[in-house]
Amino acid sequence: MDQRENCMVPFIVRIWVDESPEPGSNRSWRGKITHVPSGQSVPVTDLDDASGFMLTSLQALGVK
């Protein structure tokens, strides 16, 4: 096994456009991020949500 694989923590990030049914309304994006090893996932509505979840997951593994 490659030594780098021991240091990898995979996440899956899914992003999609949430279109409003009302004409003229702004479109927004939504997403979901999954920590692959644990299967834990959370919804995200901005990049702070995603980075916060990744940071928390990595800190739980002892990464500073």
Side-chain angles (χ1 to χ4, degrees):
M1 181 183 300
D2 188 326
Q3 188 175 9
R4 288 177 292 167
E5 289 181 24
N6 292 332
C7 299
M8 284 195 226
V9 180
F11 292 88
I12 297 172
V13 180
R14 295 180 177 100
I15 305 286
W16 60 90
V17 174
D18 188 17
E19 301 211 21
S20 173
E22 298 178 24
S25 294
N26 291 335
R27 297 176 356 170
S28 60
W29 66 272
R30 304 242 184 256
K32 180 178 178 182
I33 185 167
T34 303
H35 177 244
V36 174
S38 70
Q40 181 182 9
S41 59
V42 296
V44 293
T45 55
D46 62 44
L47 294 178
D48 289 337
D49 293 342
S51 62
F53 176 70
M54 287 189 285
L55 182 61
T56 300
S57 298
L58 292 170
Q59 287 174 335
L61 295 172
V63 177
K64 294 183 181 184

